[in-house]
């Protein structure tokens, strides 16, 4: 069902020196599938992350944040699918720590040097014994295997690579991500991991991960539900200490950020393309706003509206629903007479009503496409923002009415 | 599909002295159905209303607000279904005024003494000629006919009556409302009209309509989409000048407000029970909050969540989705360890996780019911709020993918 999304070619995904990937079948939710990923990092790395703003954040989010805040060097990340270890209270945190401790003992490092991540069903105890028992059974894997091992309701693995010339050296960056429901990130997506062998200090990496998330994973919505487990992690393997990027003013910062942003947007869009039940991919661009926040508010009002999403599913240019969403986005002094609404290149509405030149057939032609751009010109400022979303189909209901069974 | 909602008995709907109802077939969207309602009021009445906060509010909302603000006595309300006259710009306002003028000429009153209301498709020109041509064809009707004449995707008409002894006299109140999609009122529902022969001054009636709306129509959500046309109108026919309620301290104010609130909650709940595709009716009560706003924010986060709504459709106690919604409701200092979550009388979660006594079979038993209460105890204050909502079904998608055709 995914919209214009194909499985990444295995050989297009570049290995990142300093990163070792392994997967296992731990039987967390059901037997016979890869559900455990371990990412081990060589010495010299730095790691930074952004996490969900959901107050019911999962135990692994609490533990990963604490371990990152401890300032010790990260040795490994351990990721399970099949159970989110969220809404699990004190026992959930103890379980997440037990997983870290088991892996740390094997690797000969401190528990704080392991970051745990989980995705899956909420409010059910983590089967921690199965997870720990699965750790020693893991086998060498590549990035495509890793992307497969973190899927839940995703229909396809999501991974991408970029390369970049920095200071005469080729820098590699590769990342993976997973959706496919409870996607309305308020920090990062459900799970995203990007590694690069560019060498970046921890404070600069933290700035980088936030700036990249704000224009990639923080710009998507599948169903408006902000997850308990959202985590987006950026890894610098630090294999080239001579090319250290130690400030945002460093000449390599901007090109590195541009390439990481490009990669992260591809992964974030892949989550939307593979959104639960998605048949359409919508780009909502809001221009001429006064602030980034108001542009995003209008974009998300459109991206979240069940009425807009069902109209896109039906390929029905019932475009009044777009105006209604713009109108309730919360801009109290919005002058609706100044707004222009485009569907791809077709001007639909202006001067507070339907544009005289608009023909239903033109709207119909655009709505029939699998990828559609909604462009809203607010004409009250110079700021713009883009969010990506998908439609709302029978299959969204089916998937979420069936998900636990 | 409506949940525990039956067509009101015609003889249970009490006529309100001073109110004349008439309906017509104007052929606004398609021929052969009653789509035009005229409510004519005898002299002595007062009318007050609350309207949508959507910035793209419809032309009839703009005109009705202006006419109410003019302070002249209302002579008639004219309501059409089949076209919302929203997103129609300057021409839309001219069309709404033309309808008022046509009716005013017939009634021998000023244009400002007529209030227009519309519901239906957005962004399409109002067929004003057909509407005006339909006016003289109207026939006498009762409240059930009136409720039928304002339906769009509603499957059943919504109407109710109450009586009350005030100062030795029986006071009557009867109201009608319509849903059934684009329901997330921020002032009032799509359309609601309640008339009483209690005699209330205009400023007191305005206070009354706001207070009643805040605990009835402003507490429901079908799909989270705030309409362009929401209007809730309260009519006092003023037939008994000796019993004038001229302040909120008047001894009759509180009992009248209680009866009107009771009536309005029934109508608001009827909209949810008949929500597009609804198979379940959910009451979400949030207790122990610090403010009304935070209780409503938590209630609406649950009521709007597509993941919660599809789980209710499936009768699946996938209750982690409820915790996730509570967590992203926007209370930044929420201590999730203090929250208790009940499904009917079953304690599901406490201390940040699943309650040790919770059995899946108990959750399953409650979820199988057509009416379910979700109770969230925040344990941080003394305020509570209740919102009502319905589930998200295949039929919601079907109805909204088909609505225009």
């Amino acid at each position: 069902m995914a919209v214009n999304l194909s499985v990444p070619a295995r050989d297009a995904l570049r290995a990142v020196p300093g990163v070792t990937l392994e997967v296992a079948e731990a039987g967390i939710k059901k037997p016979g599938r890869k559900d455990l990923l371990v990412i081990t990092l060589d010495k010299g790395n730095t790691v930074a992350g952004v996490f969900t703003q959901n107050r019911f954040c999962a135990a692994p989010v609490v533990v990963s944040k604490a371990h990152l805040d401890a300032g010790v060097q990260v040795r490994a990340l351990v990721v399970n699918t099949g159970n989110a270890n969220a809404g699990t209270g004190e026992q959930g945190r103890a379980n997440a720590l037990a997983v870290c401790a088991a892996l740390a003992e094997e690797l000969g490092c401190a528990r704080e040097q392991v970051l745990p991540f989980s995705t899956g069903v909420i409010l059910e105890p983590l089967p921690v014994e199965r997870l720990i028992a699965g750790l020693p059974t893991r086998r060498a894997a590549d990035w495509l295997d890793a992307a497969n091992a973190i899927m839940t309701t995703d229909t396809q693995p999501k991974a991408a690579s970029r390369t970049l010339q920095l200071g005469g050296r080729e820098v590699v960056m590769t990342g993976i991500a997973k959706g496919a429901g409870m996607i309305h990130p308020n920090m990062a997506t459900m799970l995203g991991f990007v590694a690069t062998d560019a060498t970046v200090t921890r404070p600069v990496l933290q700035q980088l991960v936030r700036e990249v998330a704000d224009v990639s994973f923080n710009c998507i919505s599948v169903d408006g539900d902000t997850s308990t487990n959202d985590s987006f992690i950026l890894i610098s393997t630090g294999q080239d200490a001579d090319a250290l990027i130690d400030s945002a003013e460093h000449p390599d910062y901007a090109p590195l950020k541009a390439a990481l942003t490009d990669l992260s947007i591809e992964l974030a869009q892949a989550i939307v393309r593979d959104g639960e039940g998605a048949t359409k991919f919508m780009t909502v661009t809001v221009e001429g706003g006064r602030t980034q926040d108001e542009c995003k508010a209008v974009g998300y009002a459109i991206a979240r509206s069940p009425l807009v999403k069902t109209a896109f599913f039906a390929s029905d240019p019932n475009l009044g629903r777009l105006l209604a969403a713009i109108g309730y986005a919360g801009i109290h002094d919005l002058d609706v007479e100044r707004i222009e609404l485009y569907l791809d290149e077709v001007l639909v509405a202006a001067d507070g009503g339907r544009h005289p030149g608009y023909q239903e057939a033109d709207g119909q032609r655009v709505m029939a496409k699998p990828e559609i751009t909604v462009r809203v010109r607010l004409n009250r400022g110079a700021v713009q923002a883009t969010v990506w979303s998908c439609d709302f189909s029978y299959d969204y209901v089916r998937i979420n009415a069936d998900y636990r069974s």
Side-chain angles (χ1 to χ4, degrees), chain A residues 77-102:
Chain A
L77 295 76
V78 53
V79 192
N80 74 275
T81 184
N83 184 302
N85 195 6
T88 47
E90 190 51 47
Q91 186 62 47
R93 290 187 288 281
N95 285 344
L97 286 170
V99 173
C100 295

Side-chain angles (χ1 to χ4, degrees), chain A residues 340-369:
Chain A
E340 293 160 281
L341 172 67
Y342 289 83
L343 209 61
D344 280 3
E345 77 296 345
V346 176
L347 177 57
V348 173
D351 302 320
R354 196 159 75 178
H355 187 256
Y358 174 72
Q359 301 286 330
E360 175 98 0
D362 294 330
Q364 186 62 63
R365 178 175 49 75
V366 177
M367 289 296 272
K369 298 181 183 175

